[in-house]
Amino acid sequence: MKITLSVLKADIGSVGGHTLPSRRVLAKVEEVVREEVGRLLLDAHVFHIGDDIVLLLSHTHGIRNASVHELAWKAFREGTQVAKEEGLYGAGQDLLKDAFSGNLHGLGPQVAEMEFEERPAEPFMVLAADKTEPGAFNLPLYLVFADPMYSSGLLLSSELRPGFRFRIMDLAQTERDSYIVLDAPERLYDIAALLRDSHRFGIESIWSRRYGEIAAVVSTTRLRNIAGRYVGKDDPVAIIRTQKIFPATEEFGPPFALAPFVAGDTRGSHHLPLMPVKANTPASTFFCVPMVCGLAFSLKEGRFSEPVDLFADPVWDAVRAKVVEKAQEMRRQGFYGPAMLPMEELEYTGIAERLKELEREFS
């Protein structure tokens, strides 16, 4: 059975600043989506990470389907109306256009979709991040799909041994999609040369070389490229198939436990570690430290099992304690040096205007 999974995410308003959506806003979004389960959709699951609402939808209509995307747009718009009625902060923040134009790409919400023939057992996971950039998943996914030091299946499983194909996007291109396709392990150094720069390059998708099956897809929308100004971080989402011909679910844990430094912070201006948290966690009041949650599902005839929260077991409490230490040390450095993002990442913020004004005073 050919199934499409669509994950669509947007910040449409939150309580008391950038924290979490209200119960009424979440309920309205879920109500709109649930009305189409059994009609347009096979199934749906709604959750949040920080102040972003995430829609996981299954259907048989393929990627970029206008009806599916319009449903998500409707859910976000109606949720925005509730947010405005409640006086929530940033109501409709990620809805950067006034009208739906066929699909959500270029309208603000993050979108990750994949279509595949459902296996007899089809485990998959959804990753959702808040207060960070599209390239935030670069290092963990590189380690899982290309590094046997972290992903032992690359050594132990004949299904994985031929390696994986990486499709990498140039996130700086604003007029068209620009990507390169590189095979691991043969082009490992080239992949690393690109993915090390999470501000400029991001993984768009990963494929099994042996079977030609899609393994992972990541959203790559940059809000500033749409709005022409800083309107919040991009907050990526990803869908990843696991087990058998793909890495095991458990092999994704150690790479995320590294908590790599990524672009983030309250104003999207600093480097901070990516903290693995439980789903439905509010954004952190410690400078909005970047966070990621993960939910694992089994899929049968397009319908979801109950989810498993991948970062909820006791191991992750110890990981989070170390992430807090990393974040505090980096943030103590304030605006100086590597604590703050490079100027090309700040060109849409007020500091760029300040520097232009100062240029006139140089002699």
Side-chain angles (χ1 to χ4, degrees), residues 140 142-162 164 243-244 246-255:
Y142 169 86
L143 295 177
V144 172
F145 285 97
D147 190 343
M149 287 286 284
Y150 282 83
S151 187
S152 56
L154 296 170
L155 291 178
L156 302 176
S157 170
S158 60
E159 307 276 15
L160 274 59
R161 192 175 300 135
F164 290 88
Q243 305 296 147
K244 290 293 186 181
F246 307 116
T249 303
E250 299 79 12
E251 288 172 320
F252 286 82

Side-chain angles (χ1 to χ4, degrees), residues 42-350:
L42 295 172
D43 209 348
H45 185 82
V46 179
F47 63 100
H48 77 88
I49 173 69
D51 52 9
D52 293 339
I53 297 177
V54 187
L55 312 181
L56 167 61
L57 313 177
S58 65
H59 53 93
T60 57
H61 307 297
I63 65 173
R64 294 182 177 239
N65 179 266
S67 297
V68 173
H69 284 222
E70 188 172 20
L71 172 65
W73 180 257
K74 178 184 177 184
F76 290 141
R77 293 283 288 191
E78 293 195 16
T80 294
Q81 186 56 43
V82 174
K84 289 179 177 178
E85 292 170 3
E86 294 187 315
L88 300 190
Y89 182 74
Q93 175 178 297
D94 283 356
L95 307 184
L96 301 180
K97 304 293 182 180
D98 295 326
F100 181 71
S101 58
N103 70 69
L104 287 186
H105 291 278
L107 300 185
Q110 293 293 325
V111 180
E113 298 182 289
M114 61 165 62
E115 185 181 35
F116 53 84
E117 289 285 344
E118 187 182 287
R119 298 174 287 172
E122 187 64 68
F124 73 96
M125 68 174 68
V126 174
L127 299 174
D130 188 29
K131 304 297 179 287
T132 189
E133 60 189 343
F137 298 151
N138 281 3
L139 181 60
L141 295 188
Y142 169 86
L143 295 177
V144 172
F145 285 97
D147 190 343
M149 287 286 284
Y150 282 83
S151 187
S152 56
L154 296 170
L155 291 178
L156 302 176
S157 170
S158 60
E159 307 276 15
L160 274 59
R161 192 175 300 135
F164 290 88
R165 179 162 291 137
F166 287 71
R167 187 181 187 196
I168 299 170
M169 299 289 292
D170 182 348
L171 303 172
Q173 291 289 343
T174 58
E175 296 186 6
R176 68 185 188 282
D177 286 347
S178 178
Y179 66 87
I180 186 171
V181 177
L182 298 171
D183 287 344
E186 294 90 340
R187 304 291 299 276
L188 202 61
Y189 295 171
D190 294 329
I191 294 171
L194 297 178
L195 297 186
R196 59 157 293 280
D197 186 351
S198 59
H199 309 320
R200 172 73 184 271
F201 300 101
I203 294 170
E204 187 268 345
S205 59
I206 301 173
W207 300 73
S208 165
R209 291 176 62 189
R210 180 165 187 169
Y211 295 98
E213 290 270 354
I214 190 165
V217 63
V218 182
S219 64
T220 54
T221 296
R222 300 219 71 173
L223 296 179
R224 72 184 195 188
N225 291 346
I226 301 171
R229 66 188 190 283
Y230 178 76
V231 292
K233 293 309 290 181
D234 307 300
D235 305 338
V237 291
I239 308 170
I240 304 169
R241 300 168 74 192
T242 61
Q243 305 296 147
K244 290 293 186 181
I245 65 173
F246 307 116
T249 303
E250 299 79 12
E251 288 172 320
F252 286 82
F256 278 98
L258 285 174
F261 284 106
V262 296
D265 197 84
T266 309
R267 302 182 185 277
S269 54
H270 288 66
H271 287 114
L272 283 175
L274 183 63
M275 177 184 285
V277 300
K278 300 174 186 178
N280 302 313
T281 295
S284 171
T285 52
F286 184 79
F287 291 108
C288 284
V289 63
M291 55 177 58
V292 58
C293 72
L295 292 179
F297 299 82
S298 287
L299 188 70
K300 188 64 177 178
E301 296 179 350
R303 290 171 177 82
F304 307 133
S305 66
E306 68 277 11
V308 174
D309 196 319
L310 296 174
F311 301 136
D313 68 72
V315 168
W316 295 99
D317 293 334
V319 170
R320 283 188 278 271
K322 292 184 178 180
V323 175
V324 170
E325 291 179 6
K326 288 178 68 171
Q328 289 175 330
E329 282 302 314
M330 181 62 93
R331 205 58 184 81
R332 282 192 186 101
Q333 197 161 310
F335 61 81
Y336 191 73
M340 206 165 187
L341 299 186
M343 281 309 303
E344 60 266 24
E345 288 297 303
L346 300 174
E347 62 180 322
Y348 292 89
T349 69

